[in-house]
Each structure stands twice: as C-alpha cells, then as structure tokens.
Amino acid sequence: AFTPEIVVPSAAVRVGRTYRARVRHQDNTGRWSHWSAPMEFTVSAPDIAVYVQNLMVSELMYHPAPPTVAELAVDPTWDADEFEWIEIMNVGAEALDLSELRLTKGVEFDFVNGTQVVIGPGERLVVVENLVAFNTRYGFAQTPAFVVGQYAKNFANSGELVRIAYGAGTVVREFTYLDLLPWPVAPDGTGPSLELIDPNSRPDHQLAASWRA
C-alpha cells in the first residue's frame, strides 16, 4: 500500500554519515516506474539524555559457577557460560522505550526483539545466555516476565567492554569490567554476580568502587 513517507530505522544509519534514498512504484499489473531522483540526508545525533541519565546496567553474571550434577542431567552439554545474564534498571520516574536500544559489545541483543520493549520506573529486566539454563538454575517452571530474551555470544571471564547503544552505535552506557582487584574478584566463577551498589545514585559504571559481589 502506498504511503507518502517512511521513518528510517535508527539501527540502519550512523550519526554523521550522509545517505541517499530513491523510490520507485509498482502498479497493479506488476509494472515498475523509473527510480526517482535521490533524496539526500545527513544523520544528526539523537537525543539520548533520558537513557544516559536513567538506564543502568544494574547486575552482571559474567562468569557463573560451573553446572551442577543436577543441571548436567537436564543438558550434559552445558558449561558455565550457559548461565550468564545481564540486568538493566530504569532509575527514572518515566517509562523508557527500549526498541531502539541494543547490546553491542560483550554480547549482542536488539531489545526490539525482546518480549518486552518498555521498562517502567524502578523496573529491572534481564537478558540471558540460555533461557532453559537460567530457569533451571533459579528454579523457574517457566520463564519469568522480567527475562526478555537471549543474547548472542558470551561475556569474557577475564573482563571486557560492555555497551548499550542507541540505533547503529550511539553510546548510551559503556564500561569495562575486570576480574582483578580493585574490582570484586568473587564474581569470577565462584557463584556471585557483579552488582552495581546503588543504581539510583547513577554511579559511574567504569569505577570498580561502584560494584560489589
């Protein structure tokens, strides 16, 4: 059906780059028109202030404990990586639309493909490596509503860059965690997660002092 305008998805374009778009039409007999003259545009920076201020990575299970005998009975191919997850939190007073946000470093996940694309005030959402493994370890008969999907790849046990981006790469949140002091070392395979100490204070994620086991 004809529509006089389109909205270019933010994930399809990069800030500062110039693009050209053309259009052609097909009639009801299958005949195509010529291409139109190009429409040229340069992508401006999005206003992501509300995300930068209010969206936190509140917890990270980057190196889980190895699977137990009971867990291996469910799936003998599982290793520790299957039990990874990452949690985000909205510390603001308004709901946030996640449909333009993506995890792009460490692991990969487009929130538009999640089971929930809005995060309410004070709400926490989780993305996991393996839904079945997560449910098995934490005793859920079915996937809880706060778990919104599975990501691709997995976190490095020795530490790496984690990034949440808007669209094709505008950084909302990024930090590099480590498994060495002064960072908490217990999350490196002994069971605990890496937890942001006080998300509501909007701490600097890059500082080791902002995290605890």
Side-chain angles (χ1 to χ4, degrees), residues 79-187:
D79 60 19
D81 290 343
E82 306 289 341
F83 301 93
E84 291 180 356
W85 46 268
I86 183 172
E87 180 189 80
I88 62 172
M89 180 181 180
N90 177 8
V91 300
E94 303 292 336
L96 297 176
D97 180 1
L98 302 176
S99 59
E100 298 286 356
L101 299 186
R102 306 158 64 213
L103 290 165
T104 62
K105 294 293 183 182
V107 296
E108 297 177 355
F109 180 75
D110 290 359
F111 283 94
V112 71
N113 298 323
T115 56
Q116 180 174 328
V117 295
V118 173
I119 182 169
E123 188 174 12
R124 300 170 187 254
L125 298 178
V126 172
V127 188
V128 305
E129 164 74 19
N130 183 314
L131 286 171
V132 177
F134 182 89
N135 291 340
T136 299
R137 173 155 290 185
Y138 296 104
F140 296 111
Q142 59 185 15
T143 304
F146 63 79
V147 177
V148 297
Q150 294 182 143
Y151 53 69
K153 300 184 177 181
N154 59 274
F155 292 109
N157 294 342
S158 58
E160 68 178 321
L161 178 67
V162 178
R163 177 184 293 161
I164 300 177
Y166 184 97
T170 304
V171 176
V172 170
R173 178 79 57 215
E174 71 175 10
F175 64 96
T176 300
Y177 67 89
L178 295 172
D179 65 342
L180 302 172
L181 294 173
W183 284 79
V185 296

